[in-house]
Amino acid sequence: TCGYYTDYKARHAKCNEQTLNGLISKTFSSDIASNILEYCQVSRKIAFETDEDSSSVMKFKKWLCMQASKGKFYNCYAFNGARFDHLFFVSTLREEERNHTELQLRGSSIIGMQFNSHLFKDPCLFLANTLDNLCHNFKVDVCKTTEIIYKGEKMTSLELCLYKSYLSIEEFMDLKNTEPEYWKLYIDYCMVDCISLSHIWKKFVESMNTLIERMDPQYLRKCNASSCNTVGSLAMKLVKAINKKESGDNQHFGEYVRKFHKGP
């Protein structure tokens, strides 16, 4: 089981709404089938579910295209998306869509992506830990659900996601009708993951930008926490900005970096 947990924040000047999203996928042998995509905006909640006509990812992509047509563009953060969920999304793109999609690759991982001016990133490339540990480290108000009670028995989050893993994708999706109590727990689990990730990312960005601003407020113009795809690229960008400020250019950047290792 893998998760696609997304925190959307509008980047367009005329749109400042914030939304939370999550996509759950279930694995059967070598086949990966996308099941549910949760979209929550303040007091409303929309579920994109795989059905006979379309997958949840296709419906999500259609929603993004519709938002773009309205001039609304979002930053999309998928937890561990570089190795999983971004790949699922890209697999649904038609050839003409691929021609207008920019991918930033590191090996076989998609560390960054731009689709219809929507930006996709992976918080794991900044915060290398499990979602559960990050929740406790950042002391967020809503933490990842690790235990669930179903039919009087305790289940771990992994057991919830792998529940009746022998089912086909169609049979699993039918649990919405045959076991509605389980389905509600499943949906709620997804939403809590979405919310907890959004809280973690917000705290991380605020903390990182505060540190950068203390160094020099001007650095935030190009070196804020959302300006890069990885924590390493953010650090390099910041070092270059410091060097340029101190030396006036980056021609001797190598020498500037070496002094951190060897000393002045």
Side-chain angles (χ1 to χ4, degrees):
T1 303
C2 51
Y4 190 77
Y5 314 115
T6 333
D7 180 4
Y8 282 83
K9 183 175 182 180
R11 296 183 292 112
H12 196 274
K14 296 181 180 179
C15 179
N16 59 6
E17 62 185 338
Q18 293 189 12
T19 57
L20 306 172
N21 302 263
L23 166 68
I24 289 297
S25 302
K26 195 166 186 177
T27 304
F28 301 94
S29 300
S30 61
D31 296 324
I32 298 177
S34 303
N35 292 345
I36 303 168
L37 183 120
E38 289 291 338
Y39 164 58
C40 170
Q41 178 185 340
V42 190
S43 60
R44 70 185 178 118
K45 172 181 171 182
I46 304 172
F48 300 99
E49 299 185 11
T50 295
D51 54 32
E52 296 179 355
D53 299 322
S54 181
S55 71
S56 59
V57 185
M58 293 292 291
K59 293 178 180 179
F60 175 48
K61 184 178 69 173
K62 183 178 180 180
W63 180 82
L64 286 177
C65 292
M66 180 181 66
Q67 294 301 305
S69 68
K70 296 178 180 178
K72 298 179 180 180
F73 307 101
Y74 299 84
N75 291 322
C76 315
Y77 300 95
F79 196 76
N80 215 11
R83 295 189 297 170
F84 293 100
D85 311 288
H86 297 344
L87 297 174
F88 302 154
F89 189 90
V90 168
S91 69
T92 69
L93 299 179
R94 301 189 301 271
E95 183 176 354
E96 61 183 53
E97 291 175 326
R98 288 176 182 268
N99 293 333
H100 296 89
T101 301
E102 296 181 13
L103 302 179
Q104 289 81 50
L105 301 174
R106 187 174 66 185
S108 60
S109 299
I110 301 176
I111 63 174
M113 177 170 64
Q114 179 172 304
F115 169 74
N116 258 13
S117 295
H118 302 291
L119 299 180
F120 288 70
K121 297 185 180 183
D122 182 357
C124 283
L125 300 176
F126 291 85
L127 304 165
N129 212 324
T130 65
L131 189 63
D132 183 36
N133 287 341
L134 290 172
C135 285
H136 290 92
N137 292 341
F138 280 87
K139 295 180 173 58
V140 296
D141 296 330
V142 181
C143 292
K144 175 181 174 63
T145 302
T146 56
E147 292 185 347
I148 301 96
I149 303 298
Y150 180 52
K151 293 184 177 180
E153 296 185 4
K154 185 181 295 185
M155 301 174 66
T156 65
S157 57
L158 180 60
E159 289 172 331
L160 179 76
C161 295
L162 293 177
Y163 181 69
K164 294 186 177 182
S165 58
Y166 56 84
L167 296 177
S168 68
I169 177 62
E170 292 80 11
E171 291 171 332
F172 177 78
M173 294 302 297
D174 195 47
L175 290 177
K176 180 179 181 180
N177 302 313
T178 58
E179 298 188 44
E181 183 183 350
Y182 164 79
W183 198 256
K184 184 179 184 305
L185 291 172
Y186 189 47
I187 298 296
D188 290 345
Y189 166 77
C190 302
M191 291 307 301
V192 170
D193 269 6
C194 301
I195 295 170
S196 62
L197 178 59
S198 71
H199 289 184
I200 290 169
W201 186 250
K202 181 180 179 180
K203 280 195 171 187
F204 169 75
V205 170
E206 289 177 349
S207 299
M208 182 62 71
N209 287 345
T210 297
L211 289 173
I212 295 173
E213 187 176 27
R214 287 177 182 175
M215 298 171 67
D216 190 325
Q218 293 185 354
Y219 292 156
L220 280 180
R221 295 178 182 177
K222 294 185 177 181
C223 303
N224 62 75
S226 299
S227 65
C228 298
N229 290 324
T230 68
V231 68
S233 59
L234 175 61
M236 180 60 73
K237 195 173 185 179
L238 187 57
V239 169
K240 286 183 176 180
I242 296 171
N243 174 54
K244 187 173 183 179
K245 178 184 177 182
E246 293 186 358
S247 65
D249 59 55
N250 277 319
Q251 293 182 359
H252 305 289
F253 179 67
E255 295 179 7
Y256 179 74
V257 172
R258 279 193 291 274
K259 81 176 185 179
F260 284 94
H261 174 66
K262 298 180 179 180

